[in-house]
Amino acid sequence: MRLSDETLLDIMARFQAEMQKGLGKDTNPTASVKMLPTFVRAIPDGSENGEFLSLDLGGSKFRVLKVQVSEEGKRNVQMESQFYPTPSEIIRGNGSELFDYVADCLADFMKTKGLKHKKLPLGLTFSFPCRQTKLEEGILLSWTKKFKARGVQGTDVVSCLTKAIRKHKDIDVDILALVNDTVGTMMTCAYDDPYCEVGVIIGTGTNACYMEDMSNIDLVEGDEGRMCINTEWGAFGDDGALEDIRTEFDRELDLGSLNPGKQLFEKMISGLYLGELVRIILLKMAKAGLLFSGEKSSALHTKGKIETRHVAAMEKYKEGLANTREILTDLGLEPSEADCIAVQHVCTIVSFRSANLCAAALAAILTRLRENKKLARLRTTVGMDGTVYKIHPQYPKRLHKVVRRLVPNCDVRFLLSESGSTKGAAMVTAVASRVQAQRKQIDEVLALFRLTREQLMDVQSKMRTEFEYGLKKDTHLMATVKMLPTYVCGMPDGTEKGKFLALDLGGTNFRVLLVKIRSGRRSVRMYNKIFAIPLEIMQGTGEELFDHIVQCIADFLDYMGLKGAQLPLGFTFSFPCRQTSIDKGTLIEWTKGFKATDCEGEDMVDMLREAIKRRNEFDLDIVAVVNDTVGTMMTCGYEDPNCEIGLIAGTGSNMCYMEEMRNIELVEGDEGKMCINTEWGAFGDNGCIDDIRTRYDKKVDEGSLNPGKQRYEKMTSGMYLGEIVRQILIDLTKQGLLFRGQISERLRTRGIFETKFLSQIESDRLALLQVRRILQQLGLDSTCEDSIVVKEVCGAVSRRAAQLYGAGLAAVVEKRRQDQGLEYLKITVGVDGTLYKLHPHFSRILQETVKELAPRCDVTLMLSEDGSGKGAALITAVAKRLQQAQKED
Ligand code: BG6
Ligand code: BG6
Ligand code: GLC
Ligand code: GLC
């Protein structure tokens, strides 16, 4: 049993390898040292406060406590506690009875302390190996030490205890944290000494925990900061790694234990076993005639008759020898002086080996800490607890000395946890309860964005009402949803042909296109070029804007080698225009990011013509002005004649559809159909959906170019979703719930969350780390927790947008179904826009919502691959044909 320093260094190296094995994802399942993540991420910082309950189960004593932590001035903790017995029929009986018993003790404690009607958070110190996926859950891997209750292994002990507590109707307790005793010890000591980053128990059992770098913990996502790892070093050697140092006495002890083959390291070290080891050795010596003149008492034959407290007493300086005589006599032996000295010697050897082994494993942990920190010298504190360490007279000294010899480059302070592990458990619970309160605040914000089915149905029905308002002569002028006639009356029939120019202005990109339509084959060839429109032009004068557009057309013609060609042109202009014919469109008002002066109330076609004239370089035949929704519907309608709706979920939000002429009171004639550009973005401008607008929506509105306008658009489209997210993040940060409470300059910057970033952040395929990287690219320095919250915020905002789109779309398809008197409507919707195209969940949620709200409509969403320029060209082709026909007439 004597271990040389060389052997100890060897054991230390083996334990280092074991830790590595336990931490690795692939190696963990077969590792005997389990290295369990504890989800305790930081040592106390002194800001903890509140009143907590605490249970301490698994050591030599079971305690219930009330802990009062206050941060006023000095760190201050007050505890009241009560011990309860743990009869063996309870700890080795039925699992449910064990938890009922624990809950009974808790209820009794609360009653005597007058806490019955207080709602209190509870921290559970549970000193057994548990696999945790969060702080408030732990699956018991196996019982150790004296416990062996049936039906508990493999289950979550927190829910077992919660269930038992619920049976007591008069107490209200919420278990917020499950901690191992080592963790509690480390936290207790860290409250007084911030250098403390290791916790060691040498008591009934033995174990250690320490703060590991997240980047080394494969089993937990994220690599920021540190997390406490419960090593469960007691199981070291269970795979045979320590066979060379185990003795025949260790094997005999193991065979007689509750868990043979398990916790082999613990069985050489901890209090539950030290006395028994001594007994087994003495018995063997007696049998060999080496002690007590070969006499053996029946007590010496009895398991458990020598306990650790006896070992400690026998090794006591001065009284040790007298104690030994007394103890041996009590065991029914008649020891000589020489016997007593020999027995003392045996005790020393057994307990010294224990300290040596602990020192070797602890030295491995300290080395790991030092290497993690890349330090030549480590200064650290180890929190200590457990009866062996506390009552054995020589143990602490020996342990400290060996550790210092094994790791000379570590300056270690050993700090005894005077108040057990519960003070630390209360700290963990305090942090957990703060996190829980914060979570509640976050949930409250997110809940504002959750719409019930009833709310969505309400939106649908209000939208429907607005449609009718906009279509009727009497109400049209006051209507917020303008329902603008487009003078597009039919779908292309495939006979269109020719070469056309198209402009596509108002989405993310400004494009000039050349579209060649070949008749018969429904095939189209397109050439296009994207041009930038600088912000100062978007918001400058109308003349500047149109001069710029004409400049771009000139560049394009040049680029295509078409200089001087006089082609018919279709103008996709994605803003609300009042039309009196296909080639006339008066801008009602700018939306989205445009605000050029002298345009509102003017005919956009005229303004374009004048700009062409001003340039005096080429002439163009402007045949049609179309909204992007209409262009999109046409693009898709060219392939699917069932397509009678156009939808944009992009920078802006809008929808158009084919309406019966008889319903359009603003236009003469009752025959056939005409496309209506609803301009539904303005839905709600009369306040009709204010009940679902949040304070964040209002903030975004106030900061926009057109306050009070386009309220529905501002809750649904790409240009605003990111802004809503930004407003929420600012608010959460102000509340101290994000970014450590620091609002960075970047977060103050309008428009940082473009639709593409939202879409990336919400992608399911992304790991948290990648989300963090995207946020970092945006200049937001976030932790992993921050990233989770940001992702949730994005999700809530985009989900609401998709649902609102769904409600709007449901309103129009239901209207079409009813207007046509159909039992069932089958219809295709042409869709375009970056939000729809890039967002990972938008289209699915949109589709689901429509299905839910308009169950009698079979709605197919068809993505417009070619943009609305193609549709604009088709409309131009049709218009051109009609023009020609009129002329010929
Ligand atoms: C106590 C702690 O002080 O020590 C317990 O509060 C811990 O959580 C115990 O389990 C370990 O020592 P022992 O000797 O009681 O097992
Ligand atoms: C494009 C269309 O594909 O999508 C444009 O060609 C339309 O006409 C645009 O305005 C809408 O999406 P976004 O996201 O660019 O505004
Ligand atoms: C046993 C338990 C462990 C505990 C230790 C000290 O080893 O498995 O969880 O920390 O005893 O009580
Ligand atoms: C805005 C415009 C509308 C356009 C939509 C999508 O809502 O007012 O005309 O269709 O954005 O681009």
Side-chain angles (χ1 to χ4, degrees):
M1 283 196 170
R2 283 218 181 89
L3 303 171
S4 67
D5 275 7
E6 201 187 333
T7 309
L8 291 179
L9 285 168
D10 180 25
I11 294 171
M12 170 179 157
R14 286 187 223 176
F15 191 66
Q16 278 178 296
E18 285 294 327
M19 286 198 283
Q20 195 56 42
K21 198 171 165 192
L23 287 171
K25 206 181 200 119
D26 301 334
T27 42
N28 175 278
T30 57
S32 49
V33 176
K34 282 293 176 218
M35 304 296 280
L36 302 165
T38 63
F39 293 82
V40 168
R41 290 170 193 269
I43 59 170
D45 65 4
S47 69
E48 297 77 11
N49 65 56
E51 197 176 11
F52 307 96
L53 287 169
S54 198
L55 292 176
D56 190 355
L57 183 69
S60 51
K61 288 188 166 142
F62 168 42
R63 278 206 286 179
V64 184
L65 301 94
K66 188 190 100 169
V67 185
Q68 176 91 43
V69 189
S70 61
E71 55 174 335
E72 286 148 21
K74 263 195 161 167
R75 297 177 172 216
N76 179 6
V77 178
Q78 277 164 16
M79 305 204 287
E80 289 174 58
S81 75
Q82 166 91 51
F83 288 103
Y84 290 88
T86 45
S88 61
E89 62 273 18
I90 292 282
I91 64 175
R92 293 200 279 276
N94 207 317
S96 60
E97 281 160 23
L98 169 65
F99 288 107
D100 283 345
Y101 173 75
V102 172
D104 291 347
C105 296
L106 175 66
D108 174 73
F109 177 81
M110 293 180 76
K111 200 160 92 195
T112 46
K113 298 286 172 198
L115 297 170
K116 258 169 73 180
H117 297 289
K118 243 177 169 175
K119 184 178 169 71
L120 288 175
L122 182 143
L124 170 61
T125 304
F126 185 72
S127 311
F128 301 95
C130 290
R131 163 99 47 216
Q132 297 189 266
T133 53
K134 49 184 176 219
L135 191 57
E136 68 279 16
E137 184 193 282
I139 312 287
L140 177 66
L141 295 180
S142 55
W143 287 116
T144 55
K145 301 178 285 190
K146 291 185 220 169
F147 280 62
K148 204 161 181 149
R150 286 184 297 277
V152 188
Q153 292 187 28
T155 63
D156 170 26
V157 291
V158 174
S159 39
C160 291
L161 183 56
T162 303
K163 226 162 80 195
I165 292 175
R166 293 253 162 83
K167 294 186 192 162
H168 295 264
K169 297 283 171 256
D170 50 349
I171 60 173
D172 189 2
V173 172
D174 201 0
I175 307 177
L176 291 189
L178 175 77
V179 291
N180 188 262
D181 53 355
T182 53
V183 183
T185 300
M186 178 187 79
M187 296 296 273
T188 299
C189 294
Y191 193 60
D192 299 321
D193 176 351
Y195 278 100
C196 183
E197 49 190 348
V198 183
V200 173
I201 299 275
I202 311 168
T204 315
T206 183
N207 190 13
C209 72
Y210 71 103
M211 296 303 290
E212 177 59 272
D213 291 357
M214 277 294 284
S215 54
N216 293 331
I217 308 175
D218 283 3
L219 296 171
V220 183
E221 228 194 307
D223 68 350
E224 153 114 1
R226 302 202 292 173
M227 182 181 279
C228 179
I229 291 288
N230 167 16
T231 64
E232 286 293 330
W233 77 15
F236 180 29
D238 288 7
D239 57 356
L242 294 175
E243 285 316 296
D244 53 337
I245 62 156
R246 287 180 72 226
T247 63
E248 58 177 286
F249 313 112
D250 296 308
R251 289 181 231 282
E252 188 180 333
L253 174 134
D254 178 45
L255 283 178
S257 69
L258 278 180
N259 50 352
K262 300 278 167 60
Q263 301 291 101
L264 298 183
F265 192 57
E266 178 162 271
K267 284 172 185 164
M268 294 192 274
I269 294 173
S270 77
L272 187 57
Y273 310 104
L274 288 186
E276 182 63 4
L277 273 176
V278 168
R279 188 190 66 84
I280 292 171
I281 295 169
L282 296 187
L283 184 62
K284 173 162 182 181
M285 289 179 151
K287 277 183 181 164
L290 301 170
L291 279 179
F292 318 127
S293 326
E295 295 292 323
K296 301 148 290 191
S297 67
S298 73
L300 192 59
H301 270 109
T302 312
K303 201 168 108 186
K305 272 292 171 187
I306 300 183
E307 296 176 22
T308 299
R309 62 188 166 95
H310 299 132
V311 176
M314 291 192 275
E315 283 190 66
K316 229 176 177 163
Y317 185 62
K318 281 188 188 150
E319 309 108 88
L321 207 56
N323 288 346
T324 310
R325 177 175 302 279
E326 201 183 315
I327 289 165
L328 292 175
T329 312
D330 282 352
L331 287 173
L333 298 160
E334 288 170 19
S336 65
E337 183 76 9
D339 284 339
C340 290
I341 292 174
V343 169
Q344 258 192 325
H345 202 58
V346 169
C347 289
T348 303
I349 286 182
V350 170
S351 63
F352 215 128
R353 183 183 68 156
S354 162
N356 274 337
L357 289 172
C358 258
L362 181 54
I365 290 179
L366 295 171
T367 304
R368 194 172 168 92
L369 275 174
R370 187 179 59 75
E371 285 171 357
N372 279 349
K373 294 187 189 192
K374 302 188 174 63
L375 292 175
R377 275 200 92 72
L378 174 75
R379 171 184 167 189
T380 195
T381 299
V382 178
M384 301 292 306
D385 203 353
T387 34
V388 173
Y389 186 81
K390 281 199 289 202
I391 68 164
H392 190 286
Q394 269 87 255
Y395 202 98
K397 247 187 298 158
R398 291 177 189 159
L399 177 78
H400 303 169
K401 209 164 149 190
V402 182
V403 169
R404 294 194 172 114
R405 215 165 58 223
L406 293 179
V407 280
N409 44 8
C410 294
D411 299 317
V412 192
R413 176 178 181 224
F414 289 88
L415 185 60
L416 177 66
S417 158
E418 302 283 358
S419 40
S421 55
T422 41
K423 187 161 117 185
M427 296 308 147
V428 175
T429 312
V431 173
S433 109
R434 187 170 61 207
V435 168
Q436 194 191 46
Q438 291 179 339
R439 185 67 241 178
K440 216 170 128 212
Q441 279 171 279
I442 293 171
D443 285 343
E444 274 164 17
V445 168
L446 296 182
L448 299 174
F449 290 83
R450 220 161 286 135
L451 298 177
T452 61
R453 195 191 141 94
E454 284 62 43
Q455 285 173 313
L456 288 170
M457 279 163 56
D458 187 48
V459 169
Q460 176 185 6
S461 100
K462 283 174 176 157
M463 181 70 92
R464 175 73 181 269
T465 308
E466 295 294 322
F467 288 162
E468 308 299 347
Y469 254 64
L471 288 171
K472 296 246 162 8
K473 227 185 191 129
D474 298 345
T475 42
H476 173 82
L477 278 180
M478 290 148 51
T480 46
V481 178
K482 287 273 173 281
M483 306 299 277
L484 303 166
T486 63
Y487 294 85
V488 169
C489 296
M491 295 311 231
D493 63 5
T495 62
E496 301 74 12
K497 62 170 197 241
K499 267 195 209 170
F500 304 90
L501 275 182
L503 298 180
D504 189 351
L505 178 75
T508 314
N509 295 309
F510 169 48
R511 284 171 209 271
V512 185
L513 307 93
L514 174 70
V515 185
K516 291 185 187 168
I517 308 174
R518 283 183 281 184
S519 74
R521 284 188 285 163
R522 287 195 179 249
S523 85
V524 160
R525 273 206 164 167
M526 301 204 292
Y527 309 85
N528 79 79
K529 209 164 161 38
I530 294 178
F531 294 92
I533 303 192
L535 194 71
E536 63 272 20
I537 297 230
M538 272 159 67
Q539 297 172 14
T541 69
E543 252 188 46
E544 282 166 342
L545 173 63
F546 280 94
D547 284 348
H548 178 76
I549 292 172
V550 172
Q551 171 72 51
C552 297
I553 300 175
D555 286 355
F556 180 75
L557 291 176
D558 222 17
Y559 167 79
M560 294 298 299
L562 285 170
K563 240 179 166 174
Q566 207 205 3
L567 295 173
L569 177 137
F571 183 11
T572 303
F573 183 72
S574 309
F575 301 94
C577 286
R578 190 169 301 289
Q579 296 191 257
T580 49
S581 65
I582 188 90
D583 62 350
K584 284 198 168 49
T586 307
L587 175 62
I588 300 176
E589 60 195 346
W590 288 116
T591 55
K592 301 179 281 193
F594 280 71
K595 195 88 194 166
T597 55
D598 315 316
C599 294
E600 293 178 355
E602 299 298 321
D603 183 353
M604 293 300 100
V605 178
D606 285 347
M607 286 194 75
L608 182 58
R609 279 199 188 111
E610 275 156 30
I612 294 173
K613 241 188 241 151
R614 271 199 298 280
R615 188 173 177 97
N616 198 17
E617 197 180 288
F618 52 82
D619 201 11
L620 293 174
D621 175 14
I622 307 169
V623 181
V625 56
V626 291
N627 188 264
D628 54 353
T629 51
V630 184
T632 299
M633 181 181 79
M634 281 297 165
T635 301
C636 293
Y638 196 50
E639 265 133 60
D640 178 353
N642 234 337
C643 180
E644 293 201 320
I645 298 178
L647 187 71
I648 298 282
T651 314
S653 162
N654 195 12
M655 185 271 293
C656 75
Y657 72 103
M658 295 305 290
E659 177 59 280
E660 310 295 333
M661 276 296 281
R662 65 183 139 82
N663 290 338
I664 310 174
E665 295 187 357
L666 294 181
V667 184
E668 294 284 313
D670 277 349
E671 289 303 303
K673 293 192 257 192
M674 181 184 278
C675 178
I676 291 289
N677 167 18
T678 64
E679 286 293 330
W680 78 7
F683 175 52
D685 287 7
N686 57 1
C688 73
I689 50 169
D690 276 1
D691 55 329
I692 57 166
R693 286 174 77 224
T694 66
R695 53 182 183 271
Y696 308 104
D697 295 304
K698 289 173 192 154
K699 260 259 156 63
V700 169
D701 180 42
E702 283 159 19
S704 69
L705 284 177
N706 50 352
K709 303 278 171 66
Q710 302 289 103
R711 295 190 191 177
Y712 182 69
E713 175 162 272
K714 284 172 186 164
M715 295 168 85
T716 52
S717 78
M719 182 166 168
Y720 305 99
L721 294 193
E723 275 303 282
I724 302 174
V725 167
R726 196 176 66 87
Q727 290 299 339
I728 299 174
L729 298 188
I730 288 178
D731 187 38
L732 292 180
T733 311
K734 274 190 191 152
Q735 294 184 51
L737 303 170
L738 265 183
F739 305 131
R740 305 175 183 90
Q742 300 294 316
I743 301 181
S744 61
E745 256 335 287
R746 281 300 279 172
L747 196 55
R748 276 186 229 278
T749 315
R750 204 177 285 168
I752 49 164
F753 278 102
E754 291 168 34
T755 315
K756 69 170 181 222
F757 291 126
L758 279 197
S759 308
Q760 282 173 10
I761 289 170
E762 285 191 62
S763 162
D764 287 334
R765 284 167 313 179
L766 277 201
L768 224 52
L769 247 141
Q770 289 165 288
V771 174
R772 227 180 112 204
R773 218 160 288 145
I774 296 171
L775 293 175
Q776 267 160 359
Q777 273 169 24
L778 289 174
L780 300 174
D781 187 16
S782 67
T783 62
C784 270
E785 277 76 58
D786 289 341
S787 310
I788 296 174
V789 175
V790 172
K791 190 168 174 166
E792 279 179 301
V793 169
C794 291
V797 170
S798 63
R799 180 178 185 82
R800 183 188 66 163
Q803 288 180 327
L804 287 175
Y805 258 94
L809 195 55
V812 74
V813 292
E814 260 305 291
K815 172 174 163 57
R816 289 302 294 146
R817 186 184 70 79
Q818 287 168 13
D819 284 355
Q820 294 170 73
L822 295 173
E823 190 54 38
Y824 204 79
L825 172 77
K826 203 170 153 40
I827 194 162
T828 299
V829 181
V831 198
D832 204 348
T834 35
L835 180 57
Y836 185 83
K837 285 202 255 196
L838 298 183
H839 196 280
H841 311 302
F842 189 89
S843 65
R844 177 181 48 82
I845 299 169
L846 166 59
Q847 182 95 52
E848 284 167 4
T849 312
V850 180
K851 200 168 174 70
E852 169 116 15
L853 299 180
R856 287 204 263 168
C857 300
D858 176 359
V859 179
T860 307
L861 299 178
M862 176 176 178
L863 177 67
S864 157
E865 307 273 1
D866 300 330
S868 57
K870 173 168 154 186
L874 289 166
I875 292 169
T876 307
V878 176
K880 197 75 200 157
R881 193 175 61 208
L882 293 177
Q883 255 181 21
Q884 229 104 48
Q886 260 172 2
K887 256 191 220 156
E888 277 156 27
D889 269 2

